[in-house]
Amino acid sequence: MKCLRSGSLSNRRFIKEAIRDYDISFCLLVEKKVVICSSALINFLWPGHCIRWVLIDVMGKSGGMILMWDGSIFSAKSIEFSEYLIYITD
């Protein structure tokens, strides 16, 4: 599976610290490049057992997106997505 690139290690640490320090419930990342994604990368960015996420891969010159959220606050009953849209209902 592919995932949006979170950039350098310093960028990944910045994202992780922002999620922790500002008590973020939702996080949307947009990126131009793709790298291999794993649960380990997602758990590094947002540690915890209730993290949920979906992604849209990069297509041509269009950037990709990854949406992460705290599953203990918001439970997605329906997730739909296309090339440019992620639609989640609770």
Side-chain angles (χ1 to χ4, degrees):
M1 174 176 266
K2 294 181 177 180
C3 178
L4 302 174
R5 185 176 68 119
S6 58
S8 66
L9 182 57
S10 63
N11 288 349
R12 291 191 301 265
R13 285 187 180 140
F14 175 81
I15 294 166
K16 179 179 181 173
E17 289 170 6
I19 290 170
R20 181 194 65 220
D21 294 346
Y22 296 102
D23 197 27
I24 294 174
S25 299
F26 289 86
C27 180
L28 175 66
L29 303 174
V30 178
E31 185 59 56
K32 294 180 182 178
K33 296 182 180 180
V34 179
V35 296
I36 301 301
C37 182
S38 67
S39 295
L41 175 61
I42 299 299
N43 289 331
F44 175 82
L45 295 173
W46 196 328
H49 66 283
C50 290
I51 181 67
R52 303 291 184 257
W53 57 280
V54 294
L55 68 92
I56 297 176
D57 283 332
V58 172
M59 295 191 141
K61 293 185 179 185
S62 298
M65 295 184 289
I66 184 166
L67 177 64
M68 301 180 292
W69 67 92
D70 184 340
S72 66
I73 295 174
F74 181 82
S75 62
K77 291 182 182 176
S78 172
I79 301 173
E80 299 177 33
F81 53 94
S82 66
E83 294 178 38
Y84 309 105
L85 173 72
I86 300 173
Y87 182 74
I88 301 175
T89 58
D90 183 20

